[in-house]
């Protein structure tokens, strides 16, 4: 308890050193006031000297005040200089500690001098009263000026007041007793005020500090926020926003310091399948691995960002940006060529890459980015896995496709489309046993387009779902009553992607009343390779309905018969490219004969399409091909034409296998 009190007294009387902030604030306020304090001390001493010098005793009335004044002058000046400079914390503490000590000694000196002089007042009550006034004034002004250095203010007040009050309580027969008590009480009041003021001052400094700390924290959070807003959390790469900002800066530069800039847009091929087949965790892992591989081949100084689910983009700004971009793309394609290991799986993906090199036309970041995207899109639409540099004709092509897409939408509403039928002939019986429904666009105001031109556009835009079902419905309606004839309808791989596809087929069969057993759907192999599980699911569902499924364009791709077995196809359609060479190229002849033989052995029937010559028909029939389709027999024709020709039995004398 006692110890505690002493410690508190000691801390009140010494300069605080633990709070740097408080020390600095104190020092700033204090350094400005202290020259004024010395000025007041000096004028006080001079006033007393002026009165007392006439009583003689220069050792008391002249020399001490002169020395004190000189000391005040020197100290005042040095503080004036200190107050105008930036002082390190430790020096500030040292200055204040020195002042603290000095305040004590100066207070002692002034008090001792004043009290000593009092005796020499020589009965001059005014002169003596001036001493009282001088000491009280000095003490009050010191206390006032030293307010920011509490220790010094307390020192001075205690050292000044205690002897003063004691001395004057008894001096001169108690004439000054009231003044002594007055000053003692006033001093107590001043100490209380000093303590309160100093506490508030320290408080203010502390609250300013906490405000600043809060501000710093807010700033830190906002910095962190903007960092996160510019980072892709999965890969840690910059995101699209960061890339656009970067690109904005690059493309916004003035010609003088502008470097050629290339934008590389990378879209992974086959990522979605990995994601669908193995789940998002594996997909995320794959993205992370790919990001690391891309960073590995990224040219120095370039920026790589993840700009979408499986899309990355790089901005390369170097004097040879296009060259660097091409080298980067080669690196990217090479690094993605081998299968990627994820845990105990190996997945195979590729990349479609578009490159745009900034033109002197100074287009903005958005435009550069768009162009790279257009170039990438072109690669995607033309077989994927590769690179294309943007050129304006890509935009024209894209616009043309966009126009066709819009026209197709209109065509579906405005009844511009038609379905024609190409007869399929039994190779042994020489009669038409089936037809293949083929889409036509005869009433297109801009001029007729072949399905080869507009089907791929419909596939890309998703319109194929509507188109496909339109053909199916129309064909089912048309052939409902032509009972002897089976109906083949093409299904685009893109339609398999529609989860409602099977339901759509079922609905049309129910609504039209067309028997499922008479329907055959032709699919191309592309989708089977890309999405084996979904394809197998759709095919087995269709087969449970009773619908037959044929593999179209067999021989144009890479599908092996063994691979096809697991889908349970009912039929394969030999591609025209094989049929074309079956009579001219011996190897093709052998291959076709083998394929037909094997398919038959596996319970799959074979149709040859694109048969144009009797020789082809003969050879194919000989090899065991059950059905033939081609211009030799008939071109595709309208329902009316088909019915008319069927009535006239127009089927040409087919070349029998015999
Ligand atoms: P595809 O499914 O292979 O259809 C056969 C194509 O070969 C038809 O062309 C047909 O007219 C043509 N063709 C048949 N025999 C001969 C011949 O002896 N010589 C020659 N040079 N050509 C012959 P088309 O009608 O122009 O259709 C082209 C492709 O467009 C079709 O190839 C098919 O992939 C697609 N397509 C047509 N209609 C539809 C449809 O309704 N839906 C879907 N998804 N695709 C369709
Ligand atoms: Ca077909
Ligand atoms: Ca075909």
């Amino acid at each position: 308890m006692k110890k505690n009190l002493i410690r508190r007294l000691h801390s009140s009387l010494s300069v605080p050193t633990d709070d740097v902030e408080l020390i600095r604030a104190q020092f700033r306020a204090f350094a400005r006031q202290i020259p004024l304090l010395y000025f007041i001390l000096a004028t006080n001493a001079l006033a007393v000297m002026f009165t007392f010098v006439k009583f003689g005793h220069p050792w008391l009335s002249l020399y001490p005040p002169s020395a004190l004044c000189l000391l005040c002058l020197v100290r005042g000046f040095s503080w004036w200089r200190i107050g105008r400079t930036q002082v390190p914390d430790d020096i500030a503490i040292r200055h204040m500690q020195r002042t603290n000590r000095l305040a004590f000694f100066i207070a002692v000196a002034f008090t001792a001098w004043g009290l000593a002089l009092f005796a020499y007042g020589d009965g001059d009550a005014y002169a003596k009263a001036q001493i009282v006034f001088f000491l009280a004034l000095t003490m009050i002004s010191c206390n006032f000026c030293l307010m920011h250095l509490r220790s010094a203010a307390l020192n001075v007040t205690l050292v000044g007041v205690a002897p003063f009050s004691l001395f004057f309580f008894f001096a001169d027969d108690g004439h000054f007793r009231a003044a002594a008590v007055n000053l003692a009480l006033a001093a107590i009041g001043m100490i209380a005020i000093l303590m309160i003021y100093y506490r508030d001052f320290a408080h203010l400094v502390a609250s300013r500090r906490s405000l600043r700390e809060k501000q710093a924290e807010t700033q830190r959070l906002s910095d962190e926020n903007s960092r996160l807003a510019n980072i892709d959390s999965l890969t840690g790469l910059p995101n699209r926003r960061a890339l656009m900002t970067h690109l904005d800066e690059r493309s916004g530069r003035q010609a003088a310091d502008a470097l050629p800039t290339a934008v590389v847009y990378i879209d992974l091929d086959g990522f979605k399948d990995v994601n669908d087949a193995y789940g998002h965790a594996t997909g995320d892992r794959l993205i992370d691995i790919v990001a690391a591989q891309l960073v590995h081949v990224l040219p120095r100084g370039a920026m790589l960002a993840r700009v979408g689910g499986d899309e990355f983009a790089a901005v390369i700004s170097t004097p040879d940006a296009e060259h660097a971009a091409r080298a980067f793309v080669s690196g990217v394609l090479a690094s993605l060529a081998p299968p990627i290991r994820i845990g105990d799986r190996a997945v195979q993906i590729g990349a479609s890459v578009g490159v745009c090199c900034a033109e002197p036309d100074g287009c903005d970041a958005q435009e550069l980015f768009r162009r790279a995207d257009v170039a990438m899109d072109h690669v995607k639409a033309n077989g994927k896995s590769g690179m294309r540099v943007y050129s304006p004709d890509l935009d024209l092509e894209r616009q043309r496709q966009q126009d066709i897409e819009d026209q197709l939408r209109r065509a579906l509403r405005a009844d511009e489309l038609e379905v024609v039928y190409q007869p399929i002939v039994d190779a042994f019986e020489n009669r038409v046993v089936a037809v293949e429904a083929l889409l036509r666009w005869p009433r297109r105001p801009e001029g007729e387009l072949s399905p080869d031109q507009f089907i791929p556009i419909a596939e890309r835009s998703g319109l194929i779902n509507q188109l496909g079902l339109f053909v199916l419905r129309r064909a089912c309606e048309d052939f409902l009553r032509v009972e002897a004839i089976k109906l083949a309808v093409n299904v685009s791989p893109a339609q398999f992607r529609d989860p409602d596809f099977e339901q759509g087929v079922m609905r049309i069969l129910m609504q039209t009343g067309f028997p499922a057993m008479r329907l055959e759907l032709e699919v191309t192999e592309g989708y089977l390779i890309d999405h084996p599980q979904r394809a197998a699911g759709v095919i087995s569902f269709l087969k449970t309905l009773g619908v037959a499924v044929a593999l179209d364009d067999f021989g144009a791709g890479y599908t092996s018969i063994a691979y096809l077995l697991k889908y349970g196809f009912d039929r394969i359609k030999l591609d025209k490219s094989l049929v074309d060479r079956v009579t001219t190229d011996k190897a093709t002849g052998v291959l076709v004969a083998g394929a037909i033989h094997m398919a038959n052995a596996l319970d799959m029937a074979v149709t040859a399409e694109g048969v144009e010559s009797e020789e082809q028909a003969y050879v194919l029939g000989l090899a065991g091909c059950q059905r033939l389709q081609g211009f030799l027999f008939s071109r595709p024709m309208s329902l009316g034409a088909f019915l008319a020709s069927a009535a006239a039995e127009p089927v040409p004398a087919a070349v029998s296998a015999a």
Side-chain angles (χ1 to χ4, degrees):
M1 179 81 179
K2 211 166 128 197
K3 254 188 184 163
N4 205 10
L5 193 74
I6 291 171
R7 201 179 315 133
R8 276 177 61 182
L9 192 67
H10 178 258
S11 90
S12 297
L13 290 176
S14 50
V15 176
T17 52
D18 48 353
D19 186 342
V20 181
E21 194 93 8
L22 183 61
I23 290 165
R24 282 183 202 154
Q26 266 184 310
F27 188 76
R28 262 198 309 276
F30 179 70
R32 271 199 304 271
Q33 288 176 6
I34 208 124
L36 294 173
L37 169 65
Y38 281 118
F39 169 74
I40 293 170
L41 283 180
T43 55
N44 286 359
L46 285 176
V48 172
M49 187 179 82
F50 185 77
T51 304
F52 277 78
V53 84
K54 63 177 179 262
F55 300 123
H57 312 293
W59 280 106
L60 208 53
S61 63
L62 187 62
Y63 303 143
S66 302
L68 281 172
C69 281
L70 193 68
L71 179 67
C72 288
L73 201 74
V74 172
R75 294 294 299 158
F77 180 70
S78 97
W79 270 103
W80 177 77
R81 275 206 359 226
I82 291 169
R84 292 161 58 110
T85 53
Q86 198 67 34
V87 178
D89 294 335
D90 55 333
I91 307 277
I93 291 175
R94 232 177 300 142
H95 276 307
M96 292 199 292
Q97 281 171 338
R98 192 180 308 148
T99 301
N100 203 27
R101 282 193 299 273
L102 212 59
F104 177 79
F105 288 117
I106 290 178
V108 168
F110 267 74
T111 308
W113 176 60
L115 295 183
L117 213 51
F118 186 81
Y120 290 90
D122 260 354
D124 185 336
Y126 289 118
K128 287 184 168 179
Q130 193 188 353
I131 294 290
V132 177
F133 177 74
F134 156 71
L135 286 174
L137 183 67
T138 302
M139 195 199 66
I140 291 168
S141 37
C142 282
N143 188 293
F144 190 70
C145 290
L146 292 172
M147 248 175 173
H148 295 103
L149 190 60
R150 182 179 63 177
S151 49
L154 279 176
N155 267 332
V156 168
T157 309
L158 292 177
V159 171
V161 171
F164 175 97
S165 298
L166 269 177
F167 182 87
F168 287 110
F169 196 82
F170 299 106
D172 268 22
D173 303 331
H175 280 307
F176 293 103
R177 193 159 290 166
V181 174
N182 180 195
L183 190 72
L185 292 176
I188 291 171
M190 278 191 317
I191 288 175
I193 291 173
L194 174 73
M195 298 302 258
I196 292 168
Y197 173 81
Y198 186 78
R199 195 193 57 206
D200 289 351
F201 177 73
H203 227 103
L204 185 75
V205 170
S207 70
R208 257 209 328 243
R209 171 179 39 216
S210 91
L211 185 73
R212 233 190 354 261
E213 281 167 1
K214 267 196 202 111
Q215 271 170 349
E217 176 66 7
T218 313
Q219 185 63 42
R220 199 186 59 72
L221 284 176
S222 113
D223 288 352
E224 175 69 5
N225 249 347
S226 72
R227 194 184 69 83
L228 287 180
N230 285 295
I231 284 270
D232 166 53
S233 55
L234 176 61
T235 57
L237 288 176
N239 60 14
R240 175 186 287 260
R241 176 213 292 256
L243 186 89
M244 291 315 275
T245 313
H246 178 72
L247 193 53
D248 252 336
E249 284 165 9
R250 294 276 138 202
S251 55
R253 292 250 173 111
Q254 290 309 307
D257 66 340
L259 276 177
T261 296
V263 179
V264 179
Y265 203 120
I266 302 163
D267 188 305
L268 302 185
D269 301 325
F271 170 75
K272 204 177 162 300
D273 304 330
V274 173
N275 220 20
D276 290 350
Y278 305 122
H280 288 277
T282 305
D284 283 358
R285 191 78 197 90
L286 177 59
I287 289 290
D288 210 26
I289 293 171
V290 170
Q293 291 187 353
L294 299 188
V295 168
H296 192 68
V297 291
L298 188 71
R300 203 198 296 228
M303 182 191 211
L304 178 73
R306 179 168 174 231
V307 295
D310 61 347
E311 290 165 34
F312 297 86
V315 171
I316 301 171
S317 290
T318 50
D320 58 346
E322 178 165 358
H323 181 78
R326 283 178 186 275
F328 171 56
V329 175
S330 305
V332 169
L333 294 177
S335 78
L336 294 180
I340 295 176
R341 273 219 155 272
I342 304 175
D344 49 3
R345 293 200 177 95
V347 299
Q348 180 70 63
I349 54 162
S352 299
V353 186
V355 176
C356 168
C357 302
E359 300 290 330
D361 62 0
C363 53
D364 64 10
Q366 292 286 346
E367 178 59 14
L368 284 177
F369 202 70
R370 189 195 70 80
R371 289 180 181 183
D373 187 14
V374 167
M376 183 278 289
D377 232 33
H378 183 82
V379 177
K380 267 258 180 280
N382 289 275
K384 305 182 178 176
S385 278
M387 188 263 272
R388 171 77 199 233
V389 177
Y390 171 84
S391 63
D393 55 294
L394 291 184
D395 266 331
L396 293 179
E397 175 58 21
R398 196 186 232 202
Q399 187 56 51
R400 195 186 71 86
Q401 295 193 358
Q402 184 61 51
D403 291 346
I404 292 176
E405 187 187 324
D406 294 344
Q407 293 160 9
L408 257 183
R409 264 177 235 286
R410 181 199 62 204
L412 273 165
R413 284 194 309 270
D415 193 31
E416 293 174 14
L417 299 166
E418 215 41 82
V419 180
V420 294
Y421 303 95
Q422 184 175 32
I424 300 171
V425 174
D426 183 290
F428 308 104
E429 298 177 10
N430 304 335
R431 59 183 183 88
V432 177
V433 290
V435 291
E436 176 176 1
L438 295 161
L439 187 56
R440 293 290 178 270
W441 193 357
R443 291 184 290 281
R444 178 172 177 261
E446 296 81 4
E448 188 167 354
L449 272 188
S450 78
D452 282 329
Q453 285 173 292
F454 67 81
I455 294 276
I457 295 174
E459 286 178 338
R460 237 169 291 142
S461 65
L463 261 181
I464 191 66
N465 294 321
Q466 258 178 290
L467 273 184
L469 295 183
F470 162 80
V471 175
L472 181 63
R473 181 181 295 275
R474 175 67 65 83
C476 286
E477 286 166 355
D478 283 353
F479 276 80
L480 184 61
R481 311 238 166 273
V482 192
E483 280 167 9
I485 302 293
K486 296 210 166 183
L487 176 63
V489 176
N490 290 289
V491 172
S492 154
Q495 284 175 266
F496 273 53
R497 252 171 248 142
D498 176 10
D500 288 336
F501 171 68
E502 303 96 301
Q503 301 302 319
V505 173
M506 206 162 73
R507 208 167 30 243
I508 289 174
L509 288 177
M510 270 159 54
Q511 289 170 350
T512 59
F514 194 87
M517 304 302 275
R518 272 173 58 204
L519 181 64
E520 186 167 272
L521 295 179
E522 299 184 0
V523 296
T524 45
E525 64 187 328
Y527 192 86
L528 312 175
I529 296 172
D530 289 347
H531 307 261
Q533 274 160 339
R534 164 82 182 138
V538 180
I539 291 171
S540 82
F541 179 85
L542 291 172
K543 286 172 73 90
T544 57
L545 290 183
V547 176
V549 183
L551 176 71
D552 209 349
D553 298 344
F554 179 82
Y558 311 96
T559 326
S560 71
I561 290 200
Y563 178 80
L564 294 176
L565 248 188
K566 70 174 182 191
Y567 294 106
F569 287 110
D570 300 286
R571 174 183 304 280
I572 59 174
K573 290 190 80 174
L574 289 182
D575 190 63
K576 182 172 181 301
S577 59
L578 287 181
V579 174
D580 279 346
R581 283 174 293 147
V582 78
T583 52
T584 51
D585 179 48
K586 199 171 167 216
T588 306
V590 172
L591 189 90
V592 166
I596 293 171
H597 189 74
M598 211 180 312
N600 288 342
L602 293 170
D603 271 347
M604 288 188 280
V606 181
T607 300
E609 62 181 5
V611 182
E612 293 182 343
S613 72
E614 306 216 343
E615 200 189 349
Q616 286 167 347
Y618 175 79
V619 170
L620 288 162
L622 203 60
C625 180
Q626 287 88 353
R627 290 181 183 176
L628 305 171
Q629 174 186 1
F631 290 175
L632 171 65
F633 308 101
S634 171
R635 291 189 174 252
M637 54 185 139
S638 67
L639 175 69
F642 177 80
L643 293 177
S645 68
E649 284 190 81
V651 178
V655 185
S656 120

